Amino acid sequence: MIPIVAVVGKSNSGKTTLIEKLIPELNKRGYRVATVKHHNHALEIDTPGKDSWRHKQAGAQTAFISTPGALGMVHSVDSAMTPIEIRDRFLDDADLLLAEGFKLLSVPKIEVFRSCAHAEPVSAGDENLLAIASDTELDIGAPCCGLDDIERLVDIIEQRVILTTRPDIIVRVDGVQVPLKPFIHDFMRNALQGMLKALKGCEDAKRVEIIIR
């Protein structure tokens, strides 16, 4: 199951800026990141008059827009979906989902807090709070990091979220993740580790990817 971390905070606290800094560090460590933002306005890519909009107006539940570099989707819903619902329904090829906002969701959270703009954190007392990124020292029961202390924040995400929720081995066949029974999982891990130890330079590998065509 893809883990979720919500980046929360009051308006204009710098949530988007922090996510922009977290993603490259996570990528550098080999993790694929998906994001979702809480938004109360109409979907901007669903523009009246465009072909995908016309497909939706004709009655399509879901309209895809396929380009050489990206795939877009417009899907009709009765109410706003949570990151958990989005992950479970649409996401299967990421190592982490970063959610901007959703402060009431029961998932691990990092709060962005700026003393010059806000009186107090919104996550004080929240048992799901992983850390707080702030311009001032705070003691609210979670590590307090600087706004630019990205490596430390990613260390926390990696150690307390990613590595505790993901299996050692992930198998995808034609892009679809295949669940592994414990016996198969352990057999594959032990066999691969044994073979890699015999290869020069692979003795202490942290992440291994094998593609079979």
Side-chain angles (χ1 to χ4, degrees):
M1 183 174 292
I2 298 169
I4 299 171
V5 171
V7 176
V8 303
K10 294 185 178 179
S11 180
N12 298 319
S13 59
K15 298 185 292 294
T16 300
T17 299
L18 184 65
I19 288 175
E20 286 179 313
K21 295 177 179 179
L22 292 173
I23 292 173
E25 179 63 24
L26 286 159
N27 289 163
K28 188 172 73 174
R29 301 189 190 194
Y31 299 116
R32 295 168 300 172
V33 182
T35 66
V36 57
K37 176 180 172 61
H38 187 256
H39 204 335
N40 291 320
H41 303 293
L43 189 63
E44 295 177 358
I45 65 171
D46 198 16
T47 306
K50 294 294 185 179
D51 292 346
S52 58
W53 178 86
R54 292 170 62 186
H55 295 174
K56 295 292 280 76
Q57 291 299 302
Q61 175 75 5
T62 306
F64 289 96
I65 305 168
S66 181
T67 73
L71 177 68
M73 180 184 73
V74 181
H75 181 77
S76 296
V77 295
D78 296 325
S79 59
M81 298 181 72
T82 69
I84 294 174
E85 292 171 323
I86 293 170
R87 175 199 64 190
D88 294 347
R89 191 162 181 178
F90 300 112
L91 192 60
D92 62 5
D93 60 350
D95 299 303
L96 177 70
L97 175 59
L98 288 177
E100 181 176 337
F102 304 97
K103 63 185 177 183
L104 299 180
L105 197 65
S106 183
V107 299
K109 299 181 180 74
I110 292 175
E111 178 172 349
V112 185
F113 176 80
R114 295 180 184 273
S115 59
C116 60
H118 308 109
E120 58 183 6
V122 299
S123 302
D126 190 334
E127 62 182 12
N128 292 303
L129 185 64
L130 290 173
I132 186 162
S134 175
D135 59 356
T136 187
E137 284 294 326
L138 293 167
D139 183 9
I140 59 171
C144 184
C145 305
L147 293 168
D148 292 315
D149 198 355
I150 302 305
E151 289 189 7
R152 186 182 176 200
L153 287 167
V154 172
D155 285 343
I156 292 170
I157 293 172
E158 186 175 40
Q159 296 299 324
R160 295 188 55 189
V161 179
I162 297 175
L163 297 181
T164 62
T165 57
R166 65 190 307 221
D168 294 336
I169 290 182
I170 298 174
V171 175
R172 293 186 177 90
V173 176
D174 295 332
V176 179
Q177 185 169 326
V178 179
L180 299 178
K181 293 182 178 180
F183 169 76
I184 299 298
H185 175 278
D186 293 343
F187 176 81
M188 293 178 67
R189 181 190 60 196
N190 294 336
L192 288 170
Q193 286 179 335
M195 288 185 288
L196 286 171
K197 287 180 180 178
L199 299 177
K200 185 177 180 179
C202 299
E203 300 87 351
D204 298 317
K206 302 299 183 185
R207 178 184 175 100
V208 177
E209 294 186 6
I210 297 176
I211 299 174
I212 300 176
R213 301 187 186 278

